[in-house]
Amino acid sequence: MAKIDEVAKLAKVSKGTVSNVFSQKRPTSDEVKERVMTVSRQLNYVPNHIARSLATKKTMAIGLTIPHGSFFFSAFHTQFINGVILEASYYGYRVLLDMIPVQKVKTPFLSSYPIDGAVVMSPTTDDDRINLMHGEQIPFVTVGRVMNTNIHKSFSVDNDNHKIIESICKYLINKGHKDIMFLNANELMTVSIDRKAGFIKAMKDHQLDVEDHMIHHKPALNTSEYMDYGYAETIEILGNQKKKVTAIIADDDRTAFSVLNALKDLNLSVPEDVSLFVICGDLSMMVQSNPSLTSMDLQPSELGAQSVRLLMHQLGVLQGDFSENMIIESKIIERNSCLTIG
Amino acid sequence: MAKIDEVAKLAKVSKGTVSNVFSQKRPTSDEVKERVMTVSRQLNYVPNHIARSLATKKTMAIGLTIPHGSFFFSAFHTQFINGVILEASYYGYRVLLDMIPVQKVKTPFLSSYPIDGAVVMSPTTDDDRINLMHGEQIPFVTVGRVMNTNIHKSFSVDNDNHKIIESICKYLINKGHKDIMFLNANELMTVSIDRKAGFIKAMKDHQLDVEDHMIHHKPALNTSEYMDYGYAETIEILGNQKKKVTAIIADDDRTAFSVLNALKDLNLSVPEDVSLFVICGDLSMMVQSNPSLTSMDLQPSELGAQSVRLLMHQLGVLQGDFSENMIIESKIIERNSCLTIG
DNA sequence: TTGTAAGCGTTATCAA
DNA sequence: TTGATAACGCTTACAA
């Protein structure tokens, strides 16, 4: 790799000028610009990213912390990440993947974190990753509300989880459903807290009682129960306990898939016996299922893009006003898995 | 952020010594070590990663290039990435996500690539990303065979794709199947080429003809056909063309899901009417499907881990002998979706 | 518009 | 085992 000095010498300019040609931070004459570029191509020169970072104090990389463990992604994660990468690259930023364990303090760093900011997925209550970012003074935005006791101001993108679940409930209740089972996200996740509250409120608003068997939380990653989430609950509540359930809300496409299998095993059909509503499922899965699945579109890739934009604002890359906590619209996509009853 | 000089001054040692305490590259006395660490904690000091990179010429990061586009991951991708991240972090490396477009030359870099090496997923024939790595002299390992005309030596991890498909065919043929439909990966991917060859050979070996309708390739990402892959082919061949097909091999769990839906719509059941074999599916999906799905386990997370290890060898992090092209074992996991017929 | 030179915060080399 | 000092390759005032 050639370095800036060699280019400068060959192009008969100073290294400062070469620097300016590449960074475009100061104007250079066309003549010089061309001379420098020609020589650079000859020498196969590109500015050294690390040296530049050291001088500018910017790494041009952002961290993306993802749920830790032998995770697997739902459509939400995948599309979200896609949105992040696309938007980040638009601003010339790269994305560093992180797997700081959720709910477990990381051993102290051996060196500083080479990122300018971070996007934190799936925050939990008193999320250690967030405390870490906070302590290291790294700008960050979370996907979902922050619920760390010591952090009072934070930036986040989110759906209106409260409203989401309320409108789903309203949608189902309007179709005559009273006995709804809600398969919520993991208990620790902040979204699940809002959704639970929204569910309870919606039911209360319609004079419906919320019984224990109506709300479930996704088990932690890496537990054996995790794999069976949706299947086990459906079999247990509808099969063993023989509770009356006319509609099920699944927190993602994986869970929905499990519910579908359980219902099949129980010889129950969708939507005739049980209606199924999916929160943010993979499009092809929603459409191809038979019946196709009614779902709530959370616009994950838009969430990803906006989270990056919010971060860019904090980094000063993006100018102008912006709201610290951005809500992304979500909407019900009606397909054929929810039936009017009663 | 405190810097090394301040620590050195307060601990009454030279910065070189402070450096050595943190990097552990040269021995330091316990007394000094403790003094330095105490001061560092006081000042909240950690070595600056960028400055260290500049001096050592190592970024301690590896790139992970993933298929570009509005991609979504199959279980294979997810588990593979998991393996990569885990193994990389084991060696103190971070993972930079890349989305260099497949089959499309990237605009020239504005700066060097801040990675020490890269893992390239899903290589295609004459993959531009690989030419790029090659040109930039960045050590890399591919997941799957490299088929770039100008590159003769390369490092890769892979399953034995030829053998995989052969053993699947053999497995099905032994169960009496002659009319097998193979839903292959994308045509451009090197794995699909090997698998196609393996399929043809296996059939030939058993005196079975390979007709056109028996092999299909996954459409390119971001095409409308992509979403329907598996469904469309099943409907077309079994439904419209009424070809005799007693067994279907699906290239991943997504495709298998689509096939299942198509078969349901055709009123065909698995495995009574059609046997279904999945190459590398998500475990929960394989198990929960009814019937559970017989599949070939490609050990994706092991592939990910090994790809990192191979890279570490190239980077000199790992010593000793190693083979340039590593084959990961795969094995058939028999479940209930393949029936003996005839 | 361009050149000069002082950083940026480490590590590495060579003495001590 | 430790200290002094020159790299590492770039950016950025400040001067010209």
Side-chain angles (χ1 to χ4, degrees):
Chain A
M1 283 291 109
K3 23 193 179 180
I4 204 170
D5 307 73
E6 308 174 34
V7 175
K9 194 183 296 175
L10 249 174
K12 299 187 205 309
V13 292
S14 70
K15 16 188 256 183
T17 302
V18 176
S19 173
N20 289 330
V21 168
F22 275 94
S23 69
Q24 305 181 4
K25 293 199 178 175
R26 309 244 163 273
T28 48
S29 69
D30 286 358
E31 187 202 0
V32 165
K33 204 175 295 178
E34 203 173 338
R35 199 138 37 95
V36 168
M37 290 312 288
T38 308
V39 172
S40 299
R41 263 188 294 271
Q42 271 173 28
L43 272 56
N44 199 21
Y45 169 80
V46 277
N48 181 301
H49 186 269
I50 303 294
R52 177 180 277 179
S53 287
L54 184 57
T56 59
K57 301 189 162 198
K58 285 175 195 240
T59 65
M60 297 307 281
I62 61 176
L64 175 61
T65 75
I66 54 184
H68 173 261
S70 176
F71 61 86
F72 58 11
F73 297 129
S74 71
F76 179 86
H77 297 286
T78 298
Q79 290 175 238
F80 180 86
I81 294 176
N82 201 35
V84 166
I85 298 184
L86 239 44
E87 193 69 12
S89 71
Y90 177 78
Y91 296 107
Y93 277 77
R94 296 180 169 124
V95 176
L96 201 54
L97 222 45
D98 255 344
M99 269 211 342
I100 304 178
V102 182
Q103 294 298 315
K104 195 173 161 191
V105 190
K106 166 122 174 128
T107 51
F109 290 117
L110 320 77
S111 79
S112 69
Y113 231 54
I115 55 176
D116 296 335
V119 172
V120 180
M121 289 187 81
S122 313
T124 65
T125 51
D126 275 306
D127 196 312
D128 281 321
R129 304 170 299 170
I130 292 175
N131 286 333
L132 211 70
M133 298 287 158
H134 188 71
E136 302 270 325
Q137 311 233 42
I138 297 176
F140 66 91
V141 0
T142 58
V143 189
R145 198 155 55 85
V146 169
M147 286 182 66
N148 285 39
T149 45
N150 55 325
I151 297 180
H152 306 104
K153 180 177 172 175
S154 70
F155 299 82
S156 69
V157 296
D158 205 351
N159 299 109
D160 187 337
N161 288 294
H162 205 283
K163 196 177 114 193
I164 280 173
I165 199 75
E166 268 198 81
S167 37
I168 294 175
C169 285
K170 209 168 292 177
Y171 173 84
L172 291 171
I173 291 170
N174 282 341
K175 284 187 171 299
H177 295 277
K178 295 182 167 65
D179 306 287
I180 304 173
M181 181 165 86
F182 176 32
L183 297 169
N184 202 350
N186 184 277
E187 198 162 17
L188 293 171
M189 289 176 56
T190 55
V191 294
S192 82
I193 295 170
D194 295 345
R195 289 184 187 168
K196 181 177 182 179
F199 181 79
I200 292 174
K201 177 166 186 306
M203 297 301 274
K204 286 266 156 67
D205 284 352
H206 291 83
Q207 286 82 42
L208 295 172
D209 284 338
V210 176
E211 293 173 51
D212 276 353
H213 73 271
M214 295 169 76
I215 303 186
H216 301 265
H217 290 276
K218 186 180 282 186
L221 274 163
N222 270 337
T223 59
S224 56
E225 292 82 19
Y226 181 82
M227 283 306 221
D228 273 335
Y229 186 57
Y231 185 92
E233 285 71 13
T234 304
I235 295 288
E236 173 62 22
I237 304 300
L238 281 73
N240 299 345
Q241 299 187 20
K242 304 235 180 289
K243 298 281 186 188
K244 183 179 178 193
V245 172
T246 63
I248 297 177
I249 304 171
D251 88 309
D252 67 12
D253 46 5
R254 301 278 181 174
T255 308
F257 180 74
S258 300
V259 169
L260 283 174
N261 285 310
L263 291 174
K264 201 198 292 178
D265 288 355
L266 292 172
N267 267 313
L268 261 22
S269 57
V270 178
E272 292 77 9
D273 301 314
V274 180
S275 288
L276 179 58
F277 195 109
V278 186
I279 303 180
C280 198
D282 173 68
L283 182 61
S284 72
M285 191 182 242
M286 297 302 103
V287 172
Q288 284 185 3
S289 285
N290 195 347
S292 61
L293 271 23
T294 295
S295 66
M296 177 68 85
D297 183 10
L298 264 31
Q299 301 204 74
S301 84
E302 181 63 17
L303 273 165
Q306 289 294 353
S307 67
V308 170
R309 241 170 272 157
L310 204 47
L311 197 52
M312 291 300 132
H313 267 117
Q314 287 185 71
L315 298 179
V317 174
L318 237 33
Q319 305 286 331
D321 285 347
F322 63 99
S323 60
E324 295 169 9
N325 300 288
M326 178 163 271
I327 298 298
I328 304 297
E329 282 308 304
S330 54
K331 61 172 180 295
I332 292 178
I333 314 245
E334 212 162 358
R335 298 198 186 85
N336 304 306
S337 62
C338 295
L339 205 67
T340 301
I341 62 169
Chain B
M1 283 290 109
K3 21 192 181 183
I4 203 170
D5 307 71
E6 309 175 33
V7 175
K9 194 182 296 175
L10 249 173
K12 299 186 204 310
V13 292
S14 71
K15 24 189 245 176
T17 301
V18 176
S19 174
N20 289 331
V21 169
F22 276 93
S23 69
Q24 305 181 5
K25 293 200 176 171
R26 306 248 164 270
T28 47
S29 69
D30 285 358
E31 187 202 359
V32 164
K33 205 175 296 179
E34 202 173 338
R35 197 141 36 95
V36 167
M37 289 312 286
T38 308
V39 171
S40 299
R41 262 188 294 271
Q42 272 172 28
L43 298 171
N44 200 21
Y45 168 79
V46 276
N48 180 301
H49 186 268
I50 303 294
R52 176 181 278 178
S53 288
L54 183 58
T56 59
K57 298 189 163 199
K58 285 176 195 237
T59 65
M60 297 306 280
I62 62 176
L64 175 61
T65 76
I66 53 185
H68 174 262
S70 176
F71 61 86
F72 57 13
F73 297 127
S74 71
F76 179 85
H77 296 286
T78 297
Q79 289 175 238
F80 180 86
I81 294 177
N82 201 36
V84 166
I85 297 183
L86 240 44
E87 193 70 13
S89 70
Y90 178 77
Y91 296 107
Y93 277 77
R94 296 180 170 126
V95 176
L96 201 54
L97 265 188
D98 256 343
M99 270 212 341
I100 304 178
V102 182
Q103 295 298 315
K104 191 172 161 192
V105 189
K106 165 121 174 129
T107 51
F109 290 116
L110 321 77
S111 80
S112 70
Y113 231 55
I115 54 176
D116 297 335
V119 172
V120 180
M121 289 188 81
S122 312
T124 64
T125 52
D126 276 306
D127 196 313
D128 281 321
R129 304 170 300 171
I130 292 175
N131 286 332
L132 211 69
M133 297 286 158
H134 188 70
E136 302 268 326
Q137 311 233 43
I138 297 176
F140 66 91
V141 1
T142 58
V143 189
R145 197 155 55 84
V146 167
M147 286 183 66
N148 286 40
T149 46
N150 55 326
I151 297 179
H152 306 103
K153 179 177 172 174
S154 69
F155 300 81
S156 69
V157 296
D158 205 351
N159 299 109
D160 187 337
N161 288 293
H162 205 283
K163 195 177 115 194
I164 280 173
I165 199 75
E166 268 197 83
S167 35
I168 294 176
C169 286
K170 209 169 291 176
Y171 173 83
L172 290 171
I173 292 169
N174 282 341
K175 284 186 172 299
H177 296 276
K178 293 182 166 69
D179 306 288
I180 304 174
M181 180 165 88
F182 176 32
L183 297 169
N184 201 351
N186 184 276
E187 198 162 17
L188 293 170
M189 289 175 57
T190 56
V191 294
S192 83
I193 295 169
D194 294 346
R195 289 184 187 168
K196 182 177 182 175
F199 183 79
I200 293 172
K201 177 165 186 307
M203 298 300 275
K204 286 267 158 63
D205 284 353
H206 291 83
Q207 286 83 42
L208 296 172
D209 284 338
V210 176
E211 294 173 52
D212 276 352
H213 73 271
M214 295 169 74
I215 303 186
H216 301 265
H217 290 277
K218 186 182 283 188
L221 273 164
N222 271 337
T223 60
S224 56
E225 291 83 19
Y226 181 81
M227 283 306 221
D228 275 334
Y229 186 57
Y231 186 91
E233 285 70 13
T234 305
I235 295 287
E236 173 62 22
I237 304 299
L238 281 73
N240 301 343
Q241 298 187 21
K242 306 236 178 287
K243 298 281 185 187
K244 184 179 178 193
V245 171
T246 64
I248 297 177
I249 305 171
D251 89 308
D252 67 12
D253 46 4
R254 300 278 180 174
T255 308
F257 179 74
S258 299
V259 169
L260 282 174
N261 285 309
L263 291 175
K264 200 198 293 178
D265 288 353
L266 291 173
N267 268 314
L268 260 23
S269 58
V270 178
E272 293 78 8
D273 301 314
V274 180
S275 287
L276 178 59
F277 194 108
V278 185
I279 303 179
C280 199
D282 172 69
L283 181 61
S284 71
M285 192 182 243
M286 297 301 103
V287 172
Q288 285 185 3
S289 285
N290 195 346
S292 61
L293 271 23
T294 295
S295 66
M296 177 70 85
D297 183 12
L298 265 30
Q299 300 205 75
S301 84
E302 181 63 18
L303 273 164
Q306 288 295 352
S307 67
V308 170
R309 242 171 272 157
L310 204 48
L311 197 52
M312 290 300 130
H313 267 118
Q314 287 186 71
L315 297 180
V317 174
L318 237 34
Q319 305 285 331
D321 285 347
F322 63 98
S323 60
E324 295 169 10
N325 301 289
M326 178 162 274
I327 298 297
I328 304 297
E329 281 310 304
S330 54
K331 61 172 180 294
I332 292 178
I333 314 244
E334 214 164 355
R335 298 198 186 87
N336 304 307
S337 63
C338 296
L339 206 67
T340 302
I341 63 169

